Amino acid sequence: KQEVTQIPAALSVPEGENLVLNCSFTDSAIYNLQWFRQDPGKGLTSLLLIQSSQREQTSGRLNASLDKSSGRSTLYIAASQPGDSATYLCAVRGNYGQNFVFGPGTRLSVLP
Amino acid sequence: GAGVSQSPRYKVAKRGQDVALRCDPISGHVSLFWYQQALGQGPEFLTYFQNEAQLDKSGLPSDRFFAERPEGSVSTLKIQRTQQEDSAVYLCASSWRQETQYFGPGTRLLVL
């Protein structure tokens, strides 16, 4: 059974810092991996989707990498801003199912 | 275009009541998913539809949970004889085949 963990559970940084969020998964037979953002009381917003054949994806200040063999993904946020404050969720989709398995999330606070 | 919508946004139920949660997916999306998110946790998969066919219901926690999508668009998640442990946010997501999943804002259910 696929298990997804995320480190750290919470992170507080001053505005302007670059930061890295980590995601690990136990079964490397994945179809894709997706990073989401969740604001309090809101649904999930897709940030980046990485297919299993890809190594990384970039969107603006966000860069996500995937190392399928080691079961790891990182989300890099450059020049963090207070508006980046949210919970960041990593989710993996296996080769044999349609649904995502989510990690517990990293709660990020960017202080002005 | 319009995103995934869910109703009601909030529901308070007395223990033992039946509840029905509605999801309107993005028009044309073939796949529809239901997830349950407990406080401080990542979403957990409940069930998956492809058009009107329920292809995976392995995540439904008990036979009190029932989902349907009779015409391949709107879906309803029904919980019978609600229990306090059913209190959670219920998220619906839709996608065009195997692409990015788009999430609705969720229904926050509180069982007293």
Side-chain angles (χ1 to χ4, degrees):
Chain A
K1 178 186 173 185
Q2 179 73 272
E3 292 184 2
V4 181
T5 55
Q6 291 186 245
I7 294 173
L11 181 63
S12 184
V13 300
E15 181 177 6
E17 275 204 5
N18 303 324
L19 55 99
V20 175
L21 308 181
N22 297 289
C23 171
S24 297
F25 47 95
T26 55
D27 186 348
S28 61
I30 66 168
Y31 183 82
N32 59 34
L33 181 146
Q34 194 160 359
W35 283 92
F36 292 88
R37 168 188 174 135
Q38 187 172 33
D39 293 281
K42 301 285 180 64
L44 279 64
T45 301
S46 175
L47 297 174
L48 291 164
L49 173 71
I50 310 178
Q51 302 294 346
S52 63
S53 58
Q54 297 176 321
R55 296 283 294 184
E56 66 177 340
Q57 283 284 339
T58 298
S59 176
R61 295 182 293 107
L62 305 180
N63 176 278
S65 67
L66 174 63
D67 184 344
K68 199 171 67 166
S69 61
S70 68
R72 294 181 182 179
S73 176
T74 60
L75 178 67
Y76 175 82
I77 303 177
S80 58
Q81 303 171 357
D84 295 330
S85 299
T87 296
Y88 289 80
L89 294 156
C90 166
V92 298
R93 188 183 147 208
N95 284 331
Y96 305 108
Q98 296 290 329
N99 60 286
F100 278 112
V101 177
F102 281 84
T106 293
R107 193 169 61 254
L108 173 65
S109 295
V110 181
L111 306 175
Chain B
V4 178
S5 61
Q6 293 186 246
S7 60
R9 291 294 313 279
Y10 302 92
K11 176 70 178 176
V12 178
K14 292 183 179 178
R15 192 164 55 121
Q17 266 187 325
D18 296 349
V19 298
L21 313 180
R22 177 187 169 109
C23 172
D24 285 80
I26 294 173
S27 178
H29 277 192
V30 170
S31 301
L32 186 145
F33 304 82
W34 284 98
Y35 293 86
Q36 180 190 58
Q37 186 174 25
L39 189 65
Q41 302 294 318
E44 291 196 0
F45 170 74
L46 294 176
T47 187
Y48 158 66
F49 290 85
Q50 184 171 314
N51 296 307
E52 69 278 4
Q54 188 175 21
L55 298 185
D56 187 348
K57 54 182 181 179
S58 62
L60 296 176
S62 78
D63 59 7
R64 296 186 294 104
F65 287 70
F66 171 76
E68 60 183 4
R69 193 186 186 196
E71 297 179 357
S73 55
V74 171
S75 177
T76 304
L77 176 67
K78 297 179 180 178
I79 308 173
Q80 297 176 326
R81 305 181 302 282
T82 53
Q83 303 294 316
Q84 286 186 320
E85 61 263 28
D86 300 335
S87 296
V89 176
Y90 291 85
L91 295 166
C92 175
S94 70
S95 70
W96 170 248
R97 300 198 183 276
Q98 298 175 348
E99 301 303 320
T100 300
Q101 290 186 20
Y102 295 88
F103 281 77
T107 293
R108 189 174 299 272
L109 173 65
L110 177 61
V111 181
L112 302 177

